[in-house]
Amino acid sequence: MTESAKHVVVAAPRGYCAGVDRAVITVEKALDIYGAPVYVRKQIVHNKHVVETLEQRGAIFVEELDEVPAGATVVFSAHGVSPAVHEQAAERQLKTIDATCPLVTKVHHEAKRFAKDELPIVLIGHAGHEEVEGTMGEAPDHMTLVQHPDDVDQVELPTDKPVVWLSQTTLSVDETMETVDRLKEKFPLLQAPPSDDICYATQNRQQAVKEIAANSDLVIVVGSSNSSNSVRLVEVALEAGAKAAYRVDNASEIDEAWLDGVDRIGITSGASVPEVLVDGVLEYLEGKGYPKAVEERIIEESLTFALPPELRKDMKQREQA
Ligand code: SF4
């Protein structure tokens, strides 16, 4: 092995998506306008560093609304909430700001529409994930959750009637398609959602890591353990041919042994990961004798979302005061 054989490639797009950017700015602006503390139900986005940074500024993260004092301001996370949570907030007279990603809201609308049409819905997603809880809450009587292709065998719905499938936004595209194929075999009248539920950011990050994985001895994915899309990036990298792939929250979690005999390293990060954490990993690798990283970009992203209207209204009033 020679020094010159070593290289580091960073996948692009990586890191922050439009929904995460909007959610984080929402909490920052809420702190500016209303002052600390601002309560946030669940982690605003699934990233430890982001949550800790906002906590230092005065955000208080809670699991449920009964931990929020009556009359306080609470932000709902990017993953979305069920109607029951909105109702509970109204009962407790909380001021709410909904930072649900518009692409998650789109899936909620689809669920409501199909439930109104009395169609059974198979939701492909992970049990216990906040997004899945929120989406299922829109139409609990119509939903059947399927987590893996093999779960399709256990789905008990009429096979001679239409069934529609929806999905969590941050799944593996390939595994989801495998599940859909199994559903099609079992339910010949299966209907697809009007457009992709797996969001553009998840798809782009998976495609970008695929491009670098086959040529990598090691892929390092920066992202937190509860970040669905980050965990999927590890799986996708391995399926696409990476010899090894690991997820780390930051550079301090890299095990030096992973670098033994490794020349070609690929790096990427999940949709909730600030770039500073990727920079930390690249600096660590340079410190271990690897050259500066080269970026391999497969697509430019330009999507942005407006901040929640309830926040914009208060921002405007503040400007005019
Ligand atoms: Fe929205 Fe996709 Fe980002 Fe989730 S990963 S916040 S669905 S853009």
Side-chain angles (χ1 to χ4, degrees):
M1 186 195 316
T2 62
E3 281 299 301
S4 60
K6 291 186 172 182
H7 72 245
V8 179
V9 180
V10 196
R14 64 179 177 278
Y16 268 24
C17 60
V20 163
D21 198 35
R22 172 184 188 260
V24 174
I25 294 173
T26 295
V27 179
E28 290 170 347
K29 294 279 183 206
L31 284 163
D32 289 345
I33 292 180
Y34 312 119
V38 163
Y39 290 82
V40 183
R41 184 185 176 275
K42 310 278 184 187
Q43 292 191 346
I44 184 72
V45 298
H46 286 156
N47 185 267
K48 210 169 132 197
H49 175 89
V50 171
V51 168
E52 285 170 2
T53 305
L54 291 171
E55 272 174 343
Q56 282 159 15
R57 287 200 52 193
I60 296 178
F61 291 88
V62 297
E63 279 305 299
E64 293 303 340
L65 292 185
D66 53 16
E67 298 165 57
V68 181
T73 300
V74 62
V75 179
F76 293 147
S77 79
H79 308 100
V81 295
S82 69
V85 174
H86 283 287
E87 282 161 25
Q88 195 193 355
E91 276 164 22
R92 305 221 34 236
Q93 296 183 321
L94 302 176
K95 177 179 176 59
T96 60
I97 299 170
D98 190 355
T100 303
C101 175
L103 300 181
V104 174
T105 303
K106 178 190 79 106
V107 184
H108 282 226
H109 288 322
E110 289 169 355
K112 277 190 277 192
R113 182 159 68 81
F114 290 126
K116 198 164 153 255
D117 293 344
E118 292 299 336
L119 280 169
I121 302 165
V122 173
L123 179 66
I124 306 171
H126 295 293
H129 190 281
E130 285 138 55
E131 183 187 322
V132 166
E133 287 174 356
T135 306
M136 290 195 78
E138 291 287 359
D141 300 339
H142 292 76
M143 292 269 187
T144 303
L145 182 65
V146 162
Q147 301 196 71
H148 303 287
D150 289 345
D151 291 351
V152 172
D153 297 340
Q154 276 80 53
V155 177
E156 288 178 9
L157 290 170
T159 53
D160 58 346
K161 298 212 169 82
V163 171
V164 66
W165 68 271
L166 299 177
S167 86
Q168 192 179 331
T169 55
T170 50
L171 300 181
S172 150
V173 175
D174 295 338
E175 186 180 300
T176 302
M177 285 306 118
E178 206 183 313
T179 305
V180 171
D181 287 343
R182 295 277 288 270
L183 284 167
K184 267 186 207 150
E185 279 168 27
K186 184 160 176 175
F187 303 100
L189 300 178
L190 185 74
Q191 295 180 18
S195 61
D196 283 345
D197 286 343
I198 298 182
C199 76
Y200 81 100
T202 300
Q203 296 197 30
N204 288 349
R205 280 149 193 70
Q206 288 178 16
Q207 196 53 45
V209 82
K210 275 185 187 174
E211 295 292 326
I212 63 167
N215 202 25
S216 297
D217 301 318
L218 167 69
V219 169
I220 298 175
V221 176
V222 187
S224 288
S225 58
N226 61 343
S227 161
S228 170
N229 78 90
S230 302
V231 174
R232 302 288 85 74
L233 286 172
V234 174
E235 296 166 2
V236 170
L238 289 170
E239 278 159 21
K243 293 204 179 105
Y246 300 103
R247 181 203 55 75
V248 295
D249 251 305
N250 55 54
S252 74
E253 291 185 0
I254 298 174
D255 183 342
E256 220 178 318
W258 297 346
L259 307 180
D260 283 350
V262 162
D263 280 344
R264 303 166 304 164
I265 302 183
I267 309 286
T268 188
S269 58
S272 47
V273 177
E275 190 63 8
V276 65
L277 299 178
V278 174
D279 292 341
V281 168
L282 299 181
E283 277 164 29
Y284 171 90
L285 292 174
E286 281 179 40
K288 297 289 171 199
Y290 287 88
K292 274 206 177 305
V294 176
E295 185 176 84
E296 198 167 310
R297 176 171 293 278
I298 58 152
I299 192 169
E300 294 290 341
E301 289 179 345
S302 56
L303 186 67
T304 56
F305 294 127
L307 292 173
E310 56 275 35
L311 181 64
R312 277 187 281 142
K313 189 168 139 249
D314 287 352
M315 285 165 65
K316 200 166 170 195
Q317 274 175 1
R318 176 61 62 97
E319 276 165 26
Q320 288 166 348

